[in-house]
Amino acid sequence: MSLPPSSHPTVPLNHTHIQFAHCYKGQSNWEEVLSRFPSGSGTLYDLEFLNDENGRRVAAFGYHAGYAGAAIAVMVWAWQLDPATKGKPFPSIDYCRSEADLVAKVKRSLEKGMKYTSSLPQVMVMGALGRCGSGALGLCKAIGLPDSSMVKWDLAETSQRPGPYEEIIESDIFVNCIYLSKPIPPFVNRETLSSSKRKLSVVCDVSCDTTNPHNPIPIYDICTTFEKPTVPVKVDQDPPLSVISIDHLPSLLPREASQDFSDALLPSLLKLHNRKQERVWQQAEDLFREKVAGLSAKWRQGQAFLGGAAVPTGRP
């Protein structure tokens, strides 16, 4: 069992693996990642797709991903306002020992940023009703932002009309917390960024579908890291615009995120020995078989690994 995928991308995998594989939604190199399991007669139970009877994930890092993402976004917003740092890359960040430490750090940044503006940042959260969105809003409340500074959108709002949405560029900070399950129109694109109405200066893509062909924020194409948290987006006028696209945001709060995830996953893990009869595990295995069946012939047969020699496509 592991959280990240195995670090040896050309080795067929046997045994049973419980991990985040990031290969079920058409991500970059998804066939290369997924084919390693049938090539070695292994089985994947992807943590992202362990769902309860209502289709909700049994365990997820979503809340703390949203919390951490919003925290970094507010700090970047304040950094851009300071004449001494405006236009310069945001510095590296390190994990925090607790939520309280992170909140104190963000409050200090917000206080410093407010020296250069008369208005609190307006933060728009897309996917506000989910775990991730709840975390983003939780951070905003923890640092003292009033409800009037938060724009909360979810399916009820996006279903009324397709994107792009002016409300995004008219906010100071946009935090994307949706779960992308199908192609949708972009929330924001380079055309909307050229609008004279743009106040937007920070985008935090917590969903981080960077390599997904249907990424609804097609204004950047790389993942960022804690070492280099932001990537600039070329715009024609002020304010400058930075994107945060860190795909391991919960690591900013390792204690709380780990405890929360462990508590949620434990009841299912205790049933793992009976996985052929337990719905959550059987459903995950069925999905694995379905995704393997969608591999192209080249990858199903393991040719990329074994020089063209056919191998079993999975356990009976």
Side-chain angles (χ1 to χ4, degrees), residues 155-186:
L155 289 174
E157 289 75 21
T158 57
S159 62
Q160 294 180 10
R161 54 187 167 89
Y165 300 107
E166 277 195 349
E167 288 84 351
I168 292 176
I169 64 166
E170 292 173 356
S171 298
D172 298 289
I173 298 170
F174 174 52
V175 185
N176 179 40
C177 297
I178 71 159
Y179 180 80
L180 184 64
S181 59
K182 61 182 180 180
I184 58 174

Side-chain angles (χ1 to χ4, degrees), residues 22-315:
H22 304 297
C23 62
Y24 281 4
K25 298 191 291 183
Q27 294 98 325
S28 177
N29 299 323
W30 73 272
E31 287 192 295
E32 180 179 351
V33 174
L34 180 59
S35 63
R36 297 176 64 196
F37 298 93
S39 291
S41 295
T43 302
L44 168 66
Y45 295 105
D46 197 306
L47 286 165
E48 186 178 351
F49 297 90
L50 297 182
N51 297 326
D52 64 19
E53 59 275 10
N54 298 314
R56 184 177 173 83
R57 288 171 61 179
V58 298
F61 286 107
Y63 183 88
H64 288 97
Y67 201 96
I72 299 172
V74 173
M75 290 190 287
V76 172
W77 173 82
W79 172 270
Q80 292 179 342
L81 290 175
D82 187 340
T85 55
K86 182 179 179 180
K88 296 181 179 179
F90 189 74
S92 63
I93 50 179
D94 200 359
Y95 74 91
C96 294
R97 293 183 178 274
S98 68
E99 285 184 10
D101 286 349
L102 177 59
V103 168
K105 186 175 183 178
V106 178
K107 281 184 173 180
R108 289 193 296 269
S109 292
L110 180 61
E111 183 179 352
K112 186 175 182 180
M114 290 304 297
K115 295 178 181 178
Y116 308 104
T117 181
S118 59
S119 302
L120 288 166
Q122 178 168 288
V123 182
M124 181 171 184
V125 177
M126 188 71 79
L129 298 181
R131 284 189 180 109
C132 182
S134 296
L137 294 172
L139 181 281
C140 291
K141 294 173 184 176
I143 63 172
L145 292 185
D147 200 62
S148 59
S149 291
M150 304 176 218
V151 181
K152 308 167 189 176
W153 274 36
D154 212 280
L155 289 174
E157 289 75 21
T158 57
S159 62
Q160 294 180 10
R161 54 187 167 89
Y165 300 107
E166 277 195 349
E167 288 84 351
I168 292 176
I169 64 166
E170 292 173 356
S171 298
D172 298 289
I173 298 170
F174 174 52
V175 185
N176 179 40
C177 297
I178 71 159
Y179 180 80
L180 184 64
S181 59
K182 61 182 180 180
I184 58 174
F187 293 151
V188 62
N189 56 25
R190 294 190 179 276
E191 287 72 28
T192 57
L193 294 181
S194 64
S195 171
S196 59
K197 297 181 180 180
R198 181 177 67 87
K199 293 171 52 185
L200 185 68
S201 63
V202 183
V203 172
C204 182
D205 190 3
V206 182
S207 302
C208 214
D209 288 300
T210 312
T211 64
N212 191 308
H214 308 300
N215 179 11
I217 309 177
I219 60 174
Y220 76 101
D221 57 7
I222 65 169
C223 285
T224 61
T225 64
F226 288 141
E227 183 178 354
K228 296 181 178 179
T230 63
V231 58
V233 177
K234 185 177 180 180
V235 290
D236 298 328
Q237 56 192 1
D238 278 344
L241 176 61
S242 296
V243 171
I244 302 158
S245 55
I246 300 171
D247 63 4
H248 47 285
L249 282 167
S251 301
L252 190 64
L253 291 167
R255 187 182 71 178
E256 287 93 342
S258 298
Q259 187 65 57
D260 186 56
F261 190 89
S262 299
D263 289 346
L265 184 60
L266 181 59
S268 295
L269 281 180
L270 292 175
K271 300 175 182 177
L272 182 62
H273 68 285
N274 196 32
R275 60 184 178 275
K276 294 298 181 183
Q277 283 73 47
E278 289 294 332
R279 185 202 54 76
V280 64
W281 295 107
Q282 190 56 58
Q283 182 176 302
E285 184 169 342
D286 290 345
L287 181 60
F288 166 67
R289 302 297 177 199
E290 176 187 323
K291 296 298 182 179
V292 167
L295 288 167
S296 62
K298 165 189 171 183
W299 293 103
R300 280 204 311 273
Q301 294 171 3
Q303 291 173 349
F305 297 128
L306 304 176
V311 296
T313 57
R315 292 177 179 140

